[in-house]
Amino acid sequence: MITRKASKIRAVLLWVIACVLCLTAGGIIGPVAAQAATPQYTFYFISHCMPADVFWAREYKGMMDACERYNIKGVYLGSQTSGDVGELLRNLETAIAAKPDGIACVITDPRPLDDPLRMAAKAGIPVVAVNVKDFRPDEERVPYLIYIGEDSYLSGAKQAERFLQEFKAMYGRVPKKSVFAIHEPGNIVQEKRATGVIDVLKEAGVNSVEKLDVTYDPTKVSETLRAYIKANPDVESIHTGNILVAHWAVDVLEEIGKLGKVGAPTKDGMIFVCGIDLSSEGIDDIMQGKIVCTIDQQPYLQGYLAMETLWLWKTYQLIPSTDLATGPYVVDKSNAADVLEFVDKGIR
């Protein structure tokens, strides 16, 4: 027998279910219904690297997840030769000629990209800058809607701040000497990261901070650092703008018995290492105390937000009022294990 109370409960449940079905059908609840109400847009993503690169694989995954979420046709055009600005320029021109609904572009060098990006703006194609922005003053930079990515200077600064916190806790002082091992001299992102590190260290009282060109080859990194350490026995920290360079530096220091480790007993003559970006090797090093910290700029988020931002602009003319900072996010021994789970999943 159904009681009056049970009948009321049943009636309420049926009413709730009916409301949910109506809202979903009307496009208020549920991504599928919402997508059905808007046309499918075509957005291009122009980069200086291919998704085969570990970093850009994260960027690509974020991009494609957003495309699936918002019913977007996403086209990724990356340079076959990593960092090739000429190829990036040709890909950008190809994208503009296709007259897409929007373009996300990595502005590795604003000078050759200036004319085509202004051409896109005049043609009514919205552009967002991703990963690397136009660092020129606002009145000179290309007319993109917004920048989505890290603050390169701040990434370096935050790395140095976290390192100093750890080093001072262990030794009660700042390091005698530090070096920034730069693997791409002239790359504006790496130069700004280096400047961020150097400014913070010098302001803290580190008397000597240098930049050292180590290239992006593990053998050359090893040879260059060995020679530098031999000539500079008072160096106590190596800062890098890349997690793999940091990992290679760890290998060198372990071989020569001078690797400083977080949580280990203090000992004079040890050298500590810091990085930027993520890799499985680098996260494992952090968990073992071999790397003090790294800075995550969350490339998955950059790819995802680039597509989402263009979709929101095309659909509703909505745009955040400021650039979207996806970094710096500090990863150290306290949170490395949690981050590793998503590194293994290709998201972090």
Side-chain angles (χ1 to χ4, degrees), residues 1-311:
M1 182 176 70
I2 300 175
T3 65
R4 181 178 296 181
K5 183 178 180 181
S7 296
K8 285 184 177 180
I9 293 173
R10 181 183 178 189
V12 169
L13 288 173
L14 289 172
W15 178 81
V16 170
I17 292 170
C19 287
V20 170
L21 290 172
C22 288
L23 289 172
T24 304
I28 298 174
I29 292 179
V32 175
Q35 291 164 8
T38 59
Q40 183 183 56
Y41 301 121
T42 299
F43 297 148
Y44 276 70
F45 194 111
I46 312 301
S47 169
H48 59 300
C49 290
M50 292 295 288
D53 179 273
V54 172
F55 179 93
W56 289 97
R58 272 68 175 164
E59 197 102 19
Y60 180 76
K61 180 171 176 54
M63 168 196 167
M64 297 310 295
D65 281 355
C67 287
E68 181 178 357
R69 167 66 177 79
Y70 291 103
N71 190 34
I72 297 165
K73 179 182 178 182
V75 182
Y76 185 103
L77 295 181
S79 299
Q80 295 291 334
T81 302
S82 179
D84 189 329
V85 178
E87 190 176 358
L88 187 151
L89 174 60
R90 292 190 293 274
N91 286 336
L92 176 59
E93 292 170 341
T94 297
I96 294 171
K99 298 180 180 180
D101 297 296
I103 293 175
C105 187
V106 181
I107 307 179
T108 53
D109 188 341
R111 294 166 297 180
L113 303 179
D114 191 287
D115 285 344
L117 286 174
R118 292 186 188 279
M119 185 188 308
K122 287 181 180 179
I125 302 172
V127 175
V128 297
V130 184
N131 187 251
V132 184
K133 65 179 180 179
D134 186 342
F135 286 97
R136 296 176 298 182
D138 287 347
E139 63 273 14
E140 297 178 19
R141 74 165 178 81
V142 294
Y144 50 76
L145 293 174
I146 196 171
Y147 167 65
I148 302 169
E150 69 157 1
D151 181 318
S152 301
Y153 177 90
L154 194 56
S155 288
K158 287 294 183 182
Q159 182 202 94
E161 289 171 2
R162 181 65 187 89
F163 160 73
L164 286 171
Q165 180 185 19
E166 195 69 43
F167 192 88
K168 287 179 180 178
M170 296 176 70
Y171 289 89
R173 60 175 176 82
V174 299
K176 301 170 187 175
K177 186 170 186 174
S178 300
V179 62
F180 188 94
I182 187 167
H183 65 286
E184 290 182 355
N187 179 319
I188 192 167
V189 168
Q190 295 301 328
E191 294 291 351
K192 284 189 173 291
R193 289 174 176 177
T195 302
V197 168
I198 292 168
D199 284 354
V200 169
L201 292 179
K202 284 187 174 180
E203 186 176 348
V206 181
N207 293 324
S208 178
V209 189
E210 299 177 331
K211 276 196 304 184
L212 177 68
D213 180 4
V214 295
T215 77
Y216 194 55
D217 176 86
T219 301
K220 291 182 179 179
V221 169
S222 177
E223 293 172 352
T224 303
L225 287 178
R226 285 174 186 274
Y228 182 84
I229 293 167
K230 184 176 182 180
N232 297 271
D234 55 344
V235 67
E236 293 185 295
S237 69
I238 297 173
H239 301 263
T240 76
N242 181 277
I243 191 64
L244 286 178
V245 175
H247 176 67
W248 298 332
V250 165
D251 288 343
V252 174
L253 293 174
E254 280 191 311
E255 289 174 10
I256 63 178
K258 293 181 72 67
L259 177 64
K261 295 180 66 175
V262 175
T266 58
K267 182 180 177 181
D268 289 339
M270 296 294 99
I271 302 173
F272 294 82
V273 180
C274 299
I276 290 181
D277 292 331
L278 303 180
S279 72
S280 297
E281 304 97 325
I283 294 298
D284 186 60
D285 285 340
I286 291 173
M287 292 171 65
Q288 295 183 58
K290 298 178 181 180
I291 290 177
V292 176
C293 68
T294 192
I295 304 297
D296 183 15
Q297 60 173 305
Q298 303 181 109
Y300 176 95
L301 196 56
Q302 292 176 17
Y304 190 97
L305 290 178
M307 297 295 103
E308 182 180 60
T309 299
L310 286 169
W311 185 87

